[in-house]
């Protein structure tokens, strides 16, 4: 194509069916988070899920998307992510330039829940693109394309935010934080966590209790050598190994000790402490 | 020591035959001098006999030189020492690898005879053991240390050379690699933390504690005391024993919420109530962590056999309460078990059940007329602590003698045991109240650090004790002065710090020029170009340090010498330090950089004081200002130990750069050290240790006219001497520029 010629601009519209959740994702409510989220969704309020790694934030969003019957578009944020990665960009093809909606635009147009996982990992100049979506304007300007997308009535933004392990330097802008309602997550109480492990990994109550006990030992070392203790997800992984016939001590080693630290003294201490639970 | 004397007739015989011809005359003169000096026949005879043997092994000169040392020893240290010296010389000929070592050993002996004559005999008596444990170079270090630690103190020197002082013992332990605990501590601390959710300090009992106490574990005052090793257990069991001990102590911490009053109880009752309480605490812990039962029960080896004496019955009861499968026919054990089972099934959290059941069982033992000797009683099995921490002995000035042995341990522990740091205005730390009730007005044990001895080139293990002292708070007037002074300087400092970029490199995109092509920008530019628009030319990227990621700990010298004026201004060094620190703290807290302040001074190596003014987590508020203003100049400066201690705080920080900023007059000193270079070299070693850990250390030395060793300690590039506070911004600029590079 010659420079200056009329450029054919195509918009590729994606089908959102792939983002629909057809069967119920298991989620064991700990407090009133389900009601709170439903209430927030009714007014399409942006929601922030705060809490440690692996405590069930992502699973919760999946469950809520299923419950509300909305497609869920998840974006895992990272430091190289640009606004274009979220919003969309022109790409080249044989005939000219083609606009591709980014995941956020897709959700805005079609009324999905857009879940920005670990949002602080993204650069601050990237996260500001959600500002116009998270106040009463509910619009997304696509500057490159000279278009303003009005949010679909069902569209909602959800972000996850783990305040614990990021340094002071990686924090959300105050102006971003203030747009959200926040639901705080923590590891469930031992009883509930054992139920979750039983249901997810298919192990008996005794095994689940032991794994939860082991998980607590590891969480005791948070800030004393470990950045984070073993998450519920790790306990479930250990449960899978046990259900698959692996000895519980070895399962804990593989799923909860070895992944979490490279320090041999710490590993040894943790192995010893887990042995106390078995 | 084995004497290997050549067979020889008694009496005055000719011994010159053992010497080469040209040495024979000199040898004759040497031994005749001893013969006629009146040191006694035995010494003369032994020297004459030993001479040829020594000449053969390490040369005739050594044999003759020994004569001089024997004379000196006889005159200064007495005949006994002189006699021992000859024996020891014979022993040493077997142990040394070359004659020069023998000669330098004689130098050592002469030095001891001169500077610590009372210590020569015990030194010579212990020579074989010392050589065995330390080797020849270690022996040299040992002697220098012995003479160095106690220039004026005869009794202390004697204790050192008799291997009775903690210092000497620690050195021997360290060299003999008997330091099982030291090697395991890095694993044991997180083990305890994982089990119980808090991390108290773990220490060895003081080296000068009675041996019975050194062999037992204990706790209290916020810390845990573990024996250096468990004597009599194979090495493989040691770690399991330590773990069992920590699990047990943690169980007490969780379950034993109040101390039992000891008043009116006999030692036997105390021991049995303790036993029941041990079982109750363990039971509760096993409900939470069932695996502990395996860990503990392997050390319960009591069996239902042997004579039923109190101690063995108690061991059997301990086992019966822990191990349901254990069968014991003895009525007392069965009764104890039944009572315990009944009580815990109704409410295991009731601490009084231990007191109740213990009382009943104690009476039974009394009625059975079984012997119990409190002085020799040791809690069984080995992993259980001495149980002193769960008793309140009151402050009866004269406890019954039987309890004395037990209570003595408790007192020593209270003197030496660490305490969780207390911080007013702060939420409870993760420690229960009961573990923390230690005296606050004398500083609390924080850690022990080695010290570098530049003469011997070795570290003296566990040499300095750092104690954390509560800060004094100044009245509001002083605080206000500090707060309001020189806002122009604060402004300059803030600006300077704000401009500094101490962080990891970050990628900056969409730049008109740079080190790499920004692919996103390049694609958009290409797209724009193809679309007939004007492309954005900013398609490059580069690496940049954009923000700060630094933790700073400012360490303020508050020793006596800081009351001297700073040369140009006349204000005292300490006042200038306070001002400089306040400026820096305000600037850094405005910018949100993690920042901590501590002050230090020392009163011999037993009490190196660390005063926390502000911790990283706390704001720089009026409390911190008040503490800063409340600092007073006193005592001495033991810089090395303090640098090591502050380094521990910084090591825990996870910033990109960690900076220790020492503000001092640059002159280390302490009461118990005469050799100034010793402390300078130790501080220098401490600085190098931290540098190796990736911590930057910078010294701002305030010029008080006193000699400053800052350059020697911190290095030319890392210390700056300033003569007035006005220079501070420049200094900080230099520091930050260096950190940012």
């Amino acid at each position: 194509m010659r420079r200056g010629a009329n450029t054919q601009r195509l918009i590729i519209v994606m089908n959102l069916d792939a983002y629909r959740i057809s069967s119920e994702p298991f989620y064991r409510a700990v407090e009133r988070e389900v009601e709170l989220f439903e209430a927030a969704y009714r007014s399409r309020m942006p929601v922030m899920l705060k809490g440690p790694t692996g405590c069930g934030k992502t699973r919760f969003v999946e469950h809520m998307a299923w419950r509300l019957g909305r497609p869920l578009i998840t974006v895992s944020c990272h430091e190289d992510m640009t606004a274009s990665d979220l919003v969309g960009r022109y790409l080249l093809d044989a005939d000219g330039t083609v606009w591709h909606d980014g995941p956020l635009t897709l959700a805005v147009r079609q009324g999905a829940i857009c879940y920005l996982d670990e949002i602080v990992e993204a650069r601050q100049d990237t996260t500001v693109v959600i500002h116009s979506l998270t106040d009463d304007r509910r619009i997304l300007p696509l500057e490159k394309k000279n278009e303003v997308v009005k949010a679909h009535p069902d569209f909602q933004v959800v972000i996850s935010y783990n305040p614990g392990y990021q340094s002071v330097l990686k924090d959300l802008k105050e102006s971003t934080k203030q747009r959200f309602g926040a639901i705080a997550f923590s590891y469930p109480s031992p009883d509930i966590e054992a139920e979750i492990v039983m249901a997810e990994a298919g192990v008996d109550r005794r095994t689940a209790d032991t794994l939860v006990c082991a998980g607590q030992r590891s969480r005791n070392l948070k800030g004393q050598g470990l950045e984070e203790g073993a998450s519920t997800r790790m306990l479930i992984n250990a449960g899978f190994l046990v259900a698959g016939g692996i000895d519980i001590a070895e399962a804990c080693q593989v799923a909860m000790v070895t992944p979490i630290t490279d320090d041999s003294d710490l590993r040894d201490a943790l192995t010893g402490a887990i042995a106390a639970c078995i | 020591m084995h004497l290997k004397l050549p067979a020889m007739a008694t009496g005055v015989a000719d011994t010159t035959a053992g010497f080469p011809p040209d040495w024979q005359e000199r040898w004759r003169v040497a031994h005749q001098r001893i013969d006629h000096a009146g040191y006694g026949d035995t010494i003369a005879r032994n020297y004459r006999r030993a001479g040829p043997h020594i000449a053969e092994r390490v040369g005739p000169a050594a044999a003759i030189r020994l004569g001089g040392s024997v004379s000196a020893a006889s005159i200064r240290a007495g005949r006994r020492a002189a006699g021992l010296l000859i024996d020891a010389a014979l022993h040493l000929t077997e142990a040394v690898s070359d004659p020069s070592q023998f000669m330098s050993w004689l130098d050592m002996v002469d030095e001891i005879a001169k500077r610590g004559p009372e210590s020569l005999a015990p030194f010579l008596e212990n020579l074989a053991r010392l050589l065995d444990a330390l080797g020849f170079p270690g022996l040299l270090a040992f002697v220098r240390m012995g003479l160095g630690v106690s220039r004026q103190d005869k009794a202390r020197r004697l204790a050192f050379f008799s291997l009775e002082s903690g210092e000497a013992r620690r050195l021997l332990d360290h060299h003999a690699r008997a330091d099982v605990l030291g090697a395991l501590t890095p694993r044991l601390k997180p083990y305890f933390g994982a089990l119980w959710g808090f991390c108290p300090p773990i220490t060895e009992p003081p080296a000068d504690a009675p041996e019975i106490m050194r062999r037992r574990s204990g706790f209290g005052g916020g810390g845990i005391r573990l024996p250096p090793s468990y004597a009599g257990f194979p090495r493989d069991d040691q770690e399991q024993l330590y773990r069992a001990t920590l699990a047990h102590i943690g169980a007490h911490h969780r379950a034993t919420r109040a101390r039992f009053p000891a008043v009116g109880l006999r030692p036997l009752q105390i021991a049995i109530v303790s036993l029941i309480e041990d079982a109750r605490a363990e039971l509760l812990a096993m409900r939470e962590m069932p695996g502990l039962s395996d860990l503990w029960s392997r050390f319960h080896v009591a069996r239902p056999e042997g004579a039923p004496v109190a101690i063995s019955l108690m061991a059997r009861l301990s086992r019966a309460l822990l191990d349901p499968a254990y069968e014991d026919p003895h009525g007392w054990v069965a009764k104890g078990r039944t009572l315990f089972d009944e009580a815990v099934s109704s409410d295991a959290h009731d601490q009084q059940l231990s007191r109740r059941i213990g009382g009943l069982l104690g009476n039974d033992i009394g009625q059975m007329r079984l012997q119990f000797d409190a002085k020799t009683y040791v809690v069984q099995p080995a992993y259980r602590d001495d149980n002193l921490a769960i008793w309140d002995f009151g402050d009866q000035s004269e406890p019954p003698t039987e309890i004395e042995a037990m209570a003595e341990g408790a007192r020593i522990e209270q003197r030496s045991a660490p305490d969780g740091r207390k911080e007013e205005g702060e939420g409870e730390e993760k420690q229960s109240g009961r573990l923390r009730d230690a005296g606050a007005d004398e500083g609390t044990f924080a850690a022990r650090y080695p010290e570098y001895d530049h003469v011997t080139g070795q570290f003296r293990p566990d040499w300095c004790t750092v104690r954390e002292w509560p800060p004094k708070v100044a009245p509001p007037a002083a605080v206000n002065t500090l707060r309001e002074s020189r806002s122009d300087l604060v402004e300059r400092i803030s600006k300077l710090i704000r401009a500094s970029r101490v962080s990891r490199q970050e990628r900056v995109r969409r730049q008109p020029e740079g080190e790499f092509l920004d692919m996103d920008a390049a694609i958009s530019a290409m797209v724009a170009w193809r679309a007939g628009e004007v492309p954005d030319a900013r398609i490059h990227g580069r690496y940049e340090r954009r923000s700060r990621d630094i933790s700073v700990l400012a360490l303020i010298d508050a020793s006596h010498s800081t009351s001297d004026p700073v040369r140009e201004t006349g204000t005292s060094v300490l006042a200038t330090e306070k001002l400089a620190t306040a400026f820096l703290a305000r600037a850094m807290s405005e910018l949100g950089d993690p920042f901590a302040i501590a002050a230090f001074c020392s009163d011999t190596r037993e009490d190196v004081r660390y005063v926390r003014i502000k911790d990283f987590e706390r704001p720089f508020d009026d409390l911190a200002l008040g503490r800063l203003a409340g600092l007073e100049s006193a005592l001495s400066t033991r810089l090395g130990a303090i640098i090591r201690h502050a380094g521990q705080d910084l090591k825990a920080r996870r910033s990109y750069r960690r900076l220790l900023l020492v503000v001092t007059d640059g002159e280390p000193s302490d009461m118990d050290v005469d050799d100034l270079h010793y402390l300078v070299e130790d501080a220098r070693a401490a600085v190098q240790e931290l540098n190796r850990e990736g911590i930057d250390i910078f010294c701002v030395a305030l010029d008080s006219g006193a000699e400053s060793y800052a350059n020697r300690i911190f290095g030319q590039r890392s210390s700056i001497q300033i003569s007035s506070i006005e220079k501070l911004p420049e200094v900080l600029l230099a520091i930050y520029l260096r950190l940012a590079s």
Side-chain angles (χ1 to χ4, degrees), chain B residues 291-332:
Chain B
L292 291 177
S293 112
D294 286 348
L295 179 65
W296 286 324
S297 55
R298 59 183 289 194
F299 297 108
H300 285 262
V301 291
R303 298 161 65 85
E305 53 201 34
V309 294
I311 291 176
S312 73
L313 278 179
M314 285 161 67
R316 284 158 65 176
L317 178 61
S318 291
R319 179 166 183 189
L321 297 185
L322 181 79
D323 178 1
Y326 171 75
E327 287 174 18
D328 196 308
H330 197 280
W332 184 79

Side-chain angles (χ1 to χ4, degrees), chain B residues 34-48 70 74 79 82 86:
Chain B
I34 301 283
D35 287 347
H36 300 145
Y39 304 139
D41 277 352
T42 319
I43 288 177
R45 189 169 60 239
N46 283 348
Y47 178 57
R48 221 178 309 122
V70 169
S74 306
R79 288 181 187 185
I86 300 169

Side-chain angles (χ1 to χ4, degrees), chain B residues 143-156:
Chain B
V143 171
R144 287 197 174 140
M145 202 176 292
L147 293 174
V149 289
S150 49
R151 272 157 215 259
Q152 313 300 339
D153 189 343
K154 225 188 249 184
R156 200 165 151 204

Side-chain angles (χ1 to χ4, degrees), chain B residues 322-345:
Chain B
L322 181 79
D323 178 1
Y326 171 75
E327 287 174 18
D328 196 308
H330 197 280
W332 184 79
V333 176
K335 178 178 177 185
R337 193 183 229 171
T338 312
L339 287 172
F340 183 76
D341 287 349
E342 279 169 10
V344 296
S345 64

